[in-house]
Amino acid sequence: MGNALRFLYGNCCKPTTQEYGYGYGVPTYTDGLSALVHDIYHFETTSQVPEGLGRHVVSSKKAQANWYKKLAEAWKAAKPPPRTPDEAARLVILTLKNHLKADVEGLLAYYGLPSPQALVQTSELLPPSNSHPPQGVKFELQTLPVDAKAVADGDTVTVYVNTVDPREAANLPRDVKLAATQRAKARAVRDYVKADALQKKIVDAGYRVLTGPNNEDILARKYRIRLRGIDAPESSMPFGKEAKDEMTKLVQGKCLRVLVYGEDRYNRYVGDIYCNNKFVQVKYLNSKPLFHIV
């Protein structure tokens, strides 16, 4: 397991009395988050799931092992890893969203973590823009309206941010700004060959000239966003098309607020997305019943 799990296991998972108790094999830890981290780490080293979990869920031990394998991978990929019961519950829900609802809710109950319904009530609203950003947020984006074609699948969305935004303006390369100006002049005299060449230069630099609502040119920076905590099936996989369609419904034509936590190995920005004062990941999770993958 990764260093994050080892750190949390060593610093958070300290039993208050005996390691197992209450007759169900539930670790007697100070909180459910620590117990969950312990069991994920234990599974990584022994491939064993908690004995008492079967009393709370409906699926077999083989299925349970699959859950812990997925949770271990999701926890390792989370940056930062969950630090509160709410964050841990959200990771469980998003990681196991394609499994039986009774199993997901049973797993949460086993660790005493918040239910999906409780999370929706407490987490759906957008953090005020004038408040301190959540722990781990690197920066924030305010996007232009999202095109349907920008939704690659159920967990990846391409967004654009206007370069008049103060953060973008401060980091806009001089040659990109010049290319955008020259492109506008080339189009004005119908020199489309030159204009297309300049557009390619702009695109290669990670920017694009978009058409605004009044047919004006908007120079924007491109960002590929990987939704934090979401592991949706690929488009070619079972429920992949449904996942993409649901995400498209949530963000198409909308301006988004994105809280960026970092980058993944594919150079995508990992973040939380908010739309119309709603947390998109939670809305996405609750847009359809949990699927069961056999």
Side-chain angles (χ1 to χ4, degrees):
M1 192 60 231
N3 292 332
L5 263 182
R6 291 196 178 94
F7 174 81
L8 286 173
Y9 175 66
N11 290 275
C12 300
C13 302
K14 300 183 183 300
T16 55
T17 54
Q18 58 184 0
E19 184 175 359
Y20 294 97
Y22 301 116
Y24 286 165
V26 180
T28 316
Y29 294 97
T30 56
D31 60 73
L33 169 59
S34 297
L36 176 60
V37 173
H38 167 273
D39 287 346
I40 293 174
Y41 181 82
H42 186 261
F43 176 80
E44 281 284 291
T45 56
T46 68
S47 298
Q48 299 296 313
V49 300
E51 284 295 327
L53 181 59
R55 298 176 183 265
H56 296 260
V57 299
V58 298
S59 293
S60 66
K61 277 197 172 182
K62 182 177 179 180
Q64 295 169 32
N66 185 36
W67 307 341
Y68 281 87
K69 180 180 178 181
K70 289 183 177 181
L71 288 171
E73 293 172 352
W75 207 291
K76 185 177 180 180
K79 298 188 183 304
R83 297 283 181 173
T84 67
D86 280 8
E87 291 179 353
R90 196 168 292 118
L91 182 142
V92 170
I93 293 168
L94 295 175
T95 302
L96 303 182
K97 66 184 180 63
N98 287 336
H99 294 267
L100 287 175
K101 183 177 181 180
D103 284 331
V104 176
E105 292 183 344
L107 183 67
L108 294 172
Y110 176 71
Y111 290 106
L113 297 173
S115 67
Q117 294 77 16
L119 284 176
V120 170
Q121 293 172 1
T122 60
S123 305
E124 198 176 44
L125 293 177
L126 175 70
S129 58
N130 59 354
S131 67
H132 293 293
Q135 183 179 2
V137 172
K138 304 298 184 184
F139 58 90
E140 177 181 323
L141 303 174
Q142 300 282 351
T143 80
L144 294 166
V146 177
D147 187 89
K149 295 179 180 179
V151 180
D153 50 41
D155 56 29
T156 304
V157 180
T158 297
V159 301
Y160 290 90
V161 178
N162 197 327
T163 55
V164 301
D165 179 279
R167 180 179 178 277
E168 298 299 337
N171 296 289
L172 178 61
R174 182 177 299 179
D175 59 338
V176 172
K177 183 176 182 180
L178 178 60
T181 301
Q182 293 175 338
R183 176 184 178 276
K185 292 179 179 179
R187 287 180 61 83
V189 297
R190 300 188 178 184
D191 187 351
Y192 297 118
V193 173
K194 181 177 181 180
D196 289 346
L198 289 165
Q199 174 75 330
K200 183 179 184 306
K201 179 178 180 180
I202 293 168
V203 170
D204 289 345
Y207 293 79
R208 188 171 180 179
V209 178
L210 305 174
T211 301
N214 299 314
N215 291 321
E216 76 276 21
D217 285 347
I218 298 177
L219 178 60
R221 183 176 176 183
K222 175 182 177 181
Y223 290 87
R224 290 179 67 225
I225 306 298
R226 171 69 157 82
L227 276 69
R228 190 171 72 110
I230 291 284
D231 185 15
E234 301 292 333
S235 298
S236 59
M237 296 172 63
F239 306 112
K241 183 179 184 301
E242 289 85 347
K244 178 179 178 179
D245 289 345
E246 288 299 327
M247 183 55 61
T248 302
K249 289 179 185 178
L250 289 171
V251 302
Q252 182 179 1
K254 310 290 180 54
C255 295
L256 308 177
R257 179 184 177 192
V258 184
L259 303 183
V260 177
Y261 286 82
E263 293 184 61
D264 66 9
R265 58 179 176 172
Y266 302 108
N267 297 318
R268 297 175 297 185
Y269 291 91
V270 179
D272 291 340
I273 295 181
Y274 296 86
C275 177
N276 293 335
N277 290 337
K278 301 294 182 180
F279 186 18
V280 168
Q281 278 99 311
V282 172
K283 297 291 288 183
Y284 176 65
L285 175 67
N286 288 278
S287 60
K288 279 185 177 292
L290 294 173
F291 294 119
H292 180 216
I293 303 298
V294 180

